[in-house]
Amino acid sequence: MGKNLTKREVDYSKWYNELVVKADLAENSAVRGCMVIKPYGYAIWEKMQAELDRMFKETGHENAYFPLFVPKSLFEAEEKNAEGFAKECAVVTHYRLQNDPDNEGKLRVDPAAKLEEELVVRPTSEAIIWNTFKGWVQSYRDLPLLINQWANVVRWEMRTRLFLRTAEFLWQEGHTAHATKKEALTEALQMQKVYAEFAENFMAMPVIKGAKSESERFAGADETYTIEALMQDGKALQAGTSHFLGQNFAKAFDVKYTSKEGKQEYVWATSWGVSTRLIGGLIMTHSDDFGLVLPPKLAPIQVVIVPIYKGDEQLAAISEKVDVFVKELRAKGISVKFDTRDTYRPGAKFAEYELKGVPVRIAFGKRDLENNTVEIARRDTLEKQTVAQDNVVEFVSNLLEEIQENLFNRAITYREEHTTEVDTFEEFKDAIENKGGFVSAHWDGTIETEDKIKELTKATIRCIPLENKFEDGKCVFTGAPSKKRVLFAKSY
Amino acid sequence: MGKNLTKREVDYSKWYNELVVKADLAENSAVRGCMVIKPYGYAIWEKMQAELDRMFKETGHENAYFPLFVPKSLFEAEEKNAEGFAKECAVVTHYRLQNDPDNEGKLRVDPAAKLEEELVVRPTSEAIIWNTFKGWVQSYRDLPLLINQWANVVRWEMRTRLFLRTAEFLWQEGHTAHATKKEALTEALQMQKVYAEFAENFMAMPVIKGAKSESERFAGADETYTIEALMQDGKALQAGTSHFLGQNFAKAFDVKYTSKEGKQEYVWATSWGVSTRLIGGLIMTHSDDFGLVLPPKLAPIQVVIVPIYKGDEQLAAISEKVDVFVKELRAKGISVKFDTRDTYRPGAKFAEYELKGVPVRIAFGKRDLENNTVEIARRDTLEKQTVAQDNVVEFVSNLLEEIQENLFNRAITYREEHTTEVDTFEEFKDAIENKGGFVSAHWDGTIETEDKIKELTKATIRCIPLENKFEDGKCVFTGAPSKKRVLFAKSY
């Protein structure tokens, strides 16, 4: 019953690290900062991928694949982008190992196999993709170009945490080219909306849509749109970003098109991505001291059935009854596991599925055989209920929807309770330090003030919310005039 | 009509290279030997992935993800494996770039950011995975471990060709651990069978199942099982391999389990993979001088409809009729594109879809409006037929099945016509040089003879076919006794 799990209020960070490993989601590897995503964690990622991929295709995007490596000369072509990622690049310098003459049985880099030009392992693919787009775009007929890639990327981060920040991670990166600025802006905002819908409707994780302040923008972007979620410890998580890249990459890689009027114009660009970091957000939005809590729409196993029996005969009798509703549940597209392993006791199985966050657990014992009932437990509230076998299919279908909804509502309530509007810096500091969560405050729009606030409170501007109205106010730190509240928080 | 495509009989290799690029499947990138897989090519890969993934899951495998990098000390742990891949490894030596003081605006590797231990970009993942399996396997209860990974891998090949041999490629690699030798052997053979079924039933590409001779085995395997296909130019293509790894990796990484009897035992292993190379095989099995020919089961677009019209009114009238059967076709799971672009003429569209290998093309013109007909062309035979609109759905469904079958039969016929049984080395040389294809011959079982034959004829042993019966014979080269014919061919 998650009894070995550190309690959240004792040490949230420890709770998270333990949970990821104990729930069989991921583990650290022999490579510094790189994780192994275990089958159960990867199954969640596959469910995320399937939904996102469908949403990308429905909005007209096609998948493609570009090289893992970026030659240094391409990498440095867009200066701001290069500057932003140069400090954390894995670099391939050689293409061969040889026997080490000083160390029998060991290998060393073959000094004769030095690459003429170093290759950067992609931290993001704008450079290699825009160098390719150059060949794909000639005329307005070739636009828009709406491409997505599912890939691994590498950023040599110094402090890493499973899913949240790893040296290698899996993600998708959309890269689009458009004839006009307006179209590109519309695309960037559309994809932010797609991300928000995915987060809320599938992950049951409420998000704030906003724009990043200049200092938090993607390196090489003119505007970065973000979705920001609030974790249970009051820290914000940047869950997905969509960038309006202006003509920065088009100019760096000389990507022009001939307009209908026969003029040569630079194209306009966007890029957008979400990653395996989402799994970290999923965990920290819903899970509890007993283990993982998964929203039904992304749970690899939605319903688990645990038989409680003595002897093969009783198991056979239970199985016969169970098979009836398992078939019906599966026919409705619900994923069901009937756990008949005889190497574990029911109590151990209960603990395992609680830890792994399976939304619905059905226990079927001797008394249920006699009464034609089952016991159904929901993972989100841990409540149990006895249900007639005839009603299992309807009950479970409804319950899965209810759990999905309840998780979202619970998270919304938490966020509302942890969003504070403040008008003085005293209130600001108090909210950040003692309450946590989002703090909505006026800001004078300067990087200096942003930096100072960060220095004093560790809080950063998470976003300038799109839905915030204009209002006259004064910067919470400098008193200078401000037109719009922005959202601050400590963050992952 | 593919009129700019080099004819196969003029230069098969040139035909292939041109076709891959002109049909928008892939292109070379700025990184030596690495390709860009374009949306149309990637869509074929997605279809392949979906079927293979389903087949892997149906046989009990789960997906997971392991690091891109292998620390050198792990890489060299299994000696034969290390030796086999050391010569073609991309190696990461540094983790940061910095501004180049000698070259303003340029970057260089930061000499202070040298890794303590070099990282090999995975050419295959046995080493990193077996190092992980060590932590996953304790008892017989943990076995079998049935894992698959979809990933990119890098082998620094000197001569590369789009899809067939690229420095980076996409693949899946299965890695399994078993309690007994027998189970591991059964698994390796099962996955060879899965690959063969996929190749034949989905790619319509007949394959020979066999074992590799010692010199053609995977580095680190005790046995390599292969599926070998025959391309239209008479060369063989190794299309997928499944390896019985014995206890080699278990010993190198010290992976033991406690048996039911309480004894510590090394586990037994397999690994198996297919890659984007399959797309090369698909192309070279079916395509013709007019362009790509795709089997319906893997075609991203199965049916294309081209309207032939003058003015919006006629297009509207055609669209109304087309919409009826498009809906019905889609409801049957058939992917249909109705190409109403007004920037291209019907003739240009016909040529495009012919080049791209769309299995069925429906043309709908003014006369069809009057007669309630359409003209249906099949890509495999280029035959056309007039069909009543009411019969389109049934006709097309049947036609897609017929095309799938016809492509397979055509390929089987080609292979039969290009498989020669020989008993003398004169016959052998004649068959290899003048006829091409598979040559079935007795071989004395020695590496020396294999090498000599390769030196003299460029033909290698593609496999020792599983279905070949034992028979007394004499080695075609040395005359030494042999018990079984093996299959030789020139190969990709």
Side-chain angles (χ1 to χ4, degrees):
Chain A
M1 310 276 267
K3 60 184 168 188
N4 296 318
L5 200 59
T6 296
K7 298 261 172 294
R8 285 171 295 172
E9 60 170 33
V10 173
D11 187 337
Y12 193 79
S13 172
K14 203 171 166 212
W15 166 84
Y16 175 83
N17 293 338
E18 285 179 9
L19 179 53
V20 170
V21 172
K22 285 181 192 238
D24 267 346
L25 298 173
E27 63 185 40
N28 286 307
S29 76
V31 189
R32 208 197 61 80
C34 293
M35 65 180 158
V36 171
I37 307 179
K38 298 184 78 173
Y40 195 59
Y42 199 83
I44 296 173
W45 180 238
E46 285 181 302
K47 292 221 145 201
M48 290 179 161
Q49 282 189 299
E51 295 303 337
L52 286 164
D53 198 68
R54 180 185 53 73
M55 292 170 99
F56 299 156
K57 283 173 177 159
E58 281 172 10
T59 44
H61 302 86
E62 293 181 303
N63 289 330
Y65 188 77
F66 299 85
L68 170 67
F69 300 127
V70 188
K72 189 173 70 65
S73 58
L74 293 185
F75 182 78
E76 65 199 4
E78 208 294 321
E79 267 182 56
K80 281 188 185 167
N81 188 250
E83 199 185 313
F85 288 99
K87 290 179 207 74
E88 48 185 37
C89 276
V91 188
V92 175
T93 55
H94 292 74
Y95 59 85
R96 193 162 59 219
L97 295 173
Q98 62 176 193
N99 291 321
D100 185 345
D102 303 328
N103 249 320
E104 209 182 327
K106 305 285 178 186
L107 297 169
R108 67 165 194 190
V109 163
D110 180 351
K114 195 169 184 302
L115 289 169
E116 273 183 48
E117 181 178 10
E118 294 90 348
L119 299 173
V120 173
V121 181
R122 62 181 164 215
T124 180
S125 300
E126 278 77 6
I128 190 78
I129 288 182
W130 277 87
N131 185 62
T132 308
F133 277 4
K134 187 177 164 56
W136 292 6
V137 176
Q138 273 91 39
S139 124
Y140 69 93
R141 281 190 206 87
D142 303 321
L143 298 172
L145 204 51
L146 305 172
I147 301 293
N148 178 60
Q149 166 170 274
W150 290 97
N152 54 343
V153 286
V154 173
R155 297 176 187 177
W156 209 256
E157 306 270 4
M158 279 304 144
R159 287 184 187 185
T160 61
R161 291 188 67 192
L162 292 168
F163 291 121
L164 296 171
R165 196 175 293 278
T166 47
E168 181 192 11
F169 57 88
L170 303 184
W171 79 345
Q172 62 65 220
E173 46 183 325
H175 295 273
T176 69
H178 306 264
T180 67
K181 178 177 179 177
K182 194 180 158 195
E183 264 184 58
L185 271 167
T186 303
E187 165 79 5
L189 286 164
Q190 171 187 252
M191 298 323 290
Q192 181 192 37
K193 201 171 156 221
V194 164
Y195 288 156
E197 282 172 9
F198 172 74
E200 302 202 330
N201 299 341
F202 290 89
M203 296 174 67
M205 180 175 82
V207 293
I208 304 280
K209 294 199 287 284
K212 285 287 182 189
S213 59
E214 193 187 334
S215 65
E216 297 274 336
R217 255 177 226 150
F218 176 76
D222 283 357
E223 196 74 80
T224 286
Y225 300 108
T226 181
I227 56 169
E228 298 282 327
L230 194 59
M231 304 295 102
Q232 296 167 344
D233 61 345
K235 283 162 97 175
L237 183 82
Q238 174 180 306
T241 48
S242 180
H243 316 294
F244 168 65
L245 303 173
Q247 295 179 316
N248 302 331
F249 287 90
K251 284 178 180 166
F253 292 94
D254 194 33
V255 184
K256 290 180 189 165
Y257 74 99
T258 310
S259 71
K260 273 188 189 167
E261 295 75 30
K263 273 177 67 182
Q264 288 285 97
E265 310 267 12
Y266 284 112
V267 304
W268 297 84
T270 83
S271 68
W272 29 276
V274 293
S275 73
T276 37
R277 174 173 237 216
L278 287 178
I279 299 175
L282 189 73
I283 296 165
M284 290 197 294
T285 301
H286 305 300
S287 301
D288 61 25
D289 291 345
F290 302 103
L292 206 59
V293 176
L294 290 176
K297 285 191 188 172
L298 295 178
I301 304 165
Q302 295 174 308
V303 179
V304 67
I305 302 163
V306 178
I308 305 163
Y309 63 96
K310 281 190 187 133
D312 287 349
E313 205 173 310
Q314 234 175 60
L315 177 61
I318 291 173
S319 297
E320 197 183 320
K321 299 275 187 181
V322 164
D323 284 350
V324 178
F325 57 79
V326 163
K327 263 186 203 146
E328 283 183 62
L329 287 168
R330 287 193 180 137
K332 280 172 159 274
I334 295 168
S335 63
V336 184
K337 178 173 172 181
F338 181 30
D339 184 353
T340 56
R341 285 177 301 169
D342 60 5
T343 38
Y344 295 88
R345 290 171 172 279
K349 292 180 186 176
F350 284 14
E352 180 183 338
Y353 297 115
E354 198 161 270
L355 188 60
K356 288 193 162 182
V358 175
V360 173
R361 184 189 73 214
I362 300 178
F364 196 131
K366 193 182 157 222
R367 201 178 306 165
D368 295 309
L369 264 181
E370 290 154 10
N371 301 342
N372 288 316
T373 53
V374 295
E375 186 196 69
I376 298 187
R378 55 190 284 181
R379 178 63 186 86
D380 58 342
T381 62
L382 300 172
E383 288 165 344
K384 293 176 197 172
Q385 201 168 330
T386 299
V387 175
Q389 283 166 27
D390 285 348
N391 297 337
V392 166
V393 175
E394 202 193 337
F395 186 89
V396 167
S397 306
N398 292 337
L399 185 56
L400 288 170
E401 280 177 38
E402 205 181 310
I403 295 171
Q404 182 81 27
E405 207 174 314
N406 179 49
L407 290 177
F408 182 74
N409 291 337
R410 224 157 69 168
I412 276 275
T413 302
Y414 176 85
R415 189 180 74 187
E416 279 166 4
E417 287 169 3
H418 291 81
T419 301
T420 315
E421 207 166 90
V422 303
D423 291 313
T424 70
F425 197 55
E426 283 311 304
E427 288 171 358
F428 184 101
K429 282 191 295 188
D430 180 56
I432 290 288
E433 265 153 54
N434 301 318
K435 192 175 166 193
F438 286 128
V439 174
S440 177
H442 278 285
W443 161 60
D444 65 13
T446 69
I447 294 181
E448 293 71 31
T449 300
E450 201 179 347
D451 283 350
K452 257 278 148 54
I453 292 177
K454 185 177 176 181
E455 200 186 309
L456 294 168
T457 67
K458 290 185 185 159
T460 52
I461 297 175
R462 300 322 303 151
C463 69
I464 305 156
L466 297 186
E467 63 169 20
N468 276 14
K469 296 189 192 97
F470 287 102
E471 61 176 51
D472 283 323
K474 285 179 182 170
C475 174
V476 81
F477 189 69
T478 63
S482 152
K483 293 283 181 197
K484 212 175 183 183
R485 286 180 184 273
V486 303
L487 224 44
F488 286 86
K490 290 187 190 170
S491 76
Y492 279 94
Chain B
M1 312 275 268
K3 62 185 165 187
N4 297 318
L5 200 60
T6 295
K7 297 261 172 295
R8 285 171 294 172
E9 60 169 33
V10 172
D11 186 337
Y12 194 78
S13 173
K14 202 170 168 214
W15 166 84
Y16 175 83
N17 294 337
E18 284 179 9
L19 179 53
V20 169
V21 172
K22 285 181 192 239
D24 266 346
L25 298 174
E27 63 185 39
N28 286 307
S29 76
V31 189
R32 207 196 62 78
C34 293
M35 65 180 159
V36 171
I37 307 179
K38 299 185 79 172
Y40 194 61
Y42 199 82
I44 296 172
W45 181 238
E46 286 181 302
K47 292 222 145 202
M48 289 180 162
Q49 282 188 299
E51 295 303 336
L52 286 165
D53 199 67
R54 180 184 55 70
M55 293 170 98
F56 299 157
K57 283 173 178 159
E58 281 173 6
T59 44
H61 302 87
E62 294 181 301
N63 289 329
Y65 189 77
F66 299 85
L68 170 68
F69 300 128
V70 188
K72 188 173 71 64
S73 58
L74 293 185
F75 181 78
E76 65 199 6
E78 209 296 320
E79 266 181 59
K80 280 189 185 164
N81 188 250
E83 198 185 317
F85 288 100
K87 291 179 206 75
E88 48 186 38
C89 276
V91 188
V92 174
T93 55
H94 292 73
Y95 58 85
R96 194 161 60 218
L97 295 174
Q98 63 176 189
N99 290 320
D100 186 344
D102 303 328
N103 248 320
E104 211 183 326
K106 304 287 178 186
L107 298 169
R108 66 165 194 191
V109 164
D110 179 353
K114 194 169 183 302
L115 289 169
E116 273 182 46
E117 181 178 9
E118 293 90 348
L119 299 173
V120 174
V121 181
R122 62 182 164 215
T124 180
S125 299
E126 278 76 7
I128 189 76
I129 288 181
W130 277 87
N131 185 60
T132 309
F133 277 4
K134 185 175 166 56
W136 293 6
V137 175
Q138 274 89 40
S139 124
Y140 69 93
R141 281 190 206 84
D142 302 322
L143 298 172
L145 203 52
L146 306 173
I147 301 292
N148 177 61
Q149 165 171 273
W150 291 97
N152 53 342
V153 286
V154 172
R155 297 177 185 176
W156 210 256
E157 305 270 4
M158 281 302 142
R159 287 185 187 181
T160 61
R161 291 189 67 191
L162 293 168
F163 291 120
L164 296 171
R165 196 176 293 277
T166 48
E168 181 193 13
F169 56 88
L170 303 183
W171 78 345
Q172 60 68 219
E173 45 183 324
H175 295 273
T176 69
H178 306 263
T180 65
K181 177 177 180 179
K182 194 181 158 195
E183 265 185 56
L185 271 168
T186 303
E187 165 79 5
L189 287 164
Q190 172 188 249
M191 298 323 291
Q192 180 192 39
K193 200 171 155 222
V194 164
Y195 288 157
E197 281 171 11
F198 172 74
E200 302 201 332
N201 298 341
F202 290 89
M203 297 175 66
M205 179 174 83
V207 293
I208 304 278
K209 294 199 288 287
K212 285 287 182 188
S213 60
E214 193 187 334
S215 64
E216 297 274 335
R217 256 178 225 151
F218 177 75
D222 283 357
E223 196 75 80
T224 286
Y225 301 107
T226 181
I227 56 168
E228 299 281 328
L230 194 59
M231 304 294 101
Q232 295 166 344
D233 61 344
K235 282 162 98 173
L237 183 83
Q238 175 181 308
T241 48
S242 181
H243 316 294
F244 168 65
L245 303 173
Q247 296 180 315
N248 302 332
F249 286 90
K251 286 180 179 163
F253 291 94
D254 194 32
V255 184
K256 290 179 189 167
Y257 74 99
T258 311
S259 71
K260 274 188 189 166
E261 294 74 31
K263 274 178 67 183
Q264 288 285 96
E265 309 267 12
Y266 286 112
V267 305
W268 298 84
T270 83
S271 68
W272 28 275
V274 293
S275 73
T276 36
R277 174 174 238 216
L278 286 179
I279 299 176
L282 189 74
I283 296 166
M284 291 197 293
T285 300
H286 304 301
S287 301
D288 62 23
D289 291 344
F290 303 103
L292 206 58
V293 177
L294 291 176
K297 285 190 187 171
L298 295 177
I301 304 165
Q302 294 174 309
V303 179
V304 67
I305 303 163
V306 178
I308 304 162
Y309 63 97
K310 279 189 189 136
D312 289 348
E313 207 173 309
Q314 233 174 62
L315 178 60
I318 291 173
S319 296
E320 197 183 321
K321 298 276 188 181
V322 164
D323 284 349
V324 178
F325 58 78
V326 163
K327 263 185 206 148
E328 282 184 64
L329 287 168
R330 287 192 180 139
K332 280 174 160 273
I334 294 168
S335 64
V336 185
K337 178 173 173 181
F338 181 29
D339 185 353
T340 56
R341 286 177 301 170
D342 60 4
T343 38
Y344 296 88
R345 292 168 171 281
K349 292 180 185 176
F350 284 14
E352 181 184 338
Y353 297 115
E354 197 160 271
L355 189 59
K356 288 192 162 183
V358 175
V360 173
R361 183 188 73 212
I362 301 179
F364 196 130
K366 193 182 157 225
R367 201 180 305 165
D368 296 308
L369 264 181
E370 290 155 8
N371 301 343
N372 288 315
T373 53
V374 295
E375 186 196 71
I376 298 186
R378 56 189 283 182
R379 178 62 186 86
D380 60 340
T381 61
L382 300 172
E383 288 163 347
K384 295 175 196 170
Q385 201 167 331
T386 299
V387 176
Q389 284 165 28
D390 286 347
N391 298 338
V392 165
V393 175
E394 203 196 332
F395 186 88
V396 167
S397 307
N398 293 337
L399 185 56
L400 288 170
E401 280 178 39
E402 202 180 312
I403 294 172
Q404 183 80 29
E405 205 174 319
N406 179 49
L407 289 178
F408 182 73
N409 291 338
R410 223 157 72 168
I412 276 276
T413 303
Y414 176 85
R415 188 181 74 187
E416 280 167 3
E417 286 168 3
H418 292 82
T419 300
T420 315
E421 206 165 276
V422 302
D423 292 310
T424 69
F425 197 56
E426 282 312 304
E427 287 171 0
F428 185 101
K429 284 190 293 187
D430 180 58
I432 290 290
E433 265 153 55
N434 301 319
K435 189 172 167 193
F438 286 127
V439 174
S440 177
H442 278 285
W443 161 61
D444 65 14
T446 68
I447 294 181
E448 294 70 33
T449 301
E450 203 179 348
D451 284 349
K452 257 279 149 53
I453 291 177
K454 184 177 177 182
E455 199 187 306
L456 293 169
T457 67
K458 291 185 184 157
T460 52
I461 297 176
R462 301 320 304 150
C463 70
I464 305 154
L466 296 186
E467 64 170 20
N468 275 14
K469 297 190 193 97
F470 287 100
E471 61 175 53
D472 283 322
K474 286 179 182 169
C475 173
V476 80
F477 189 69
T478 62
S482 151
K483 291 285 180 197
K484 211 173 183 183
R485 287 180 184 272
V486 302
L487 224 43
F488 287 85
K490 291 188 190 171
S491 77
Y492 278 93

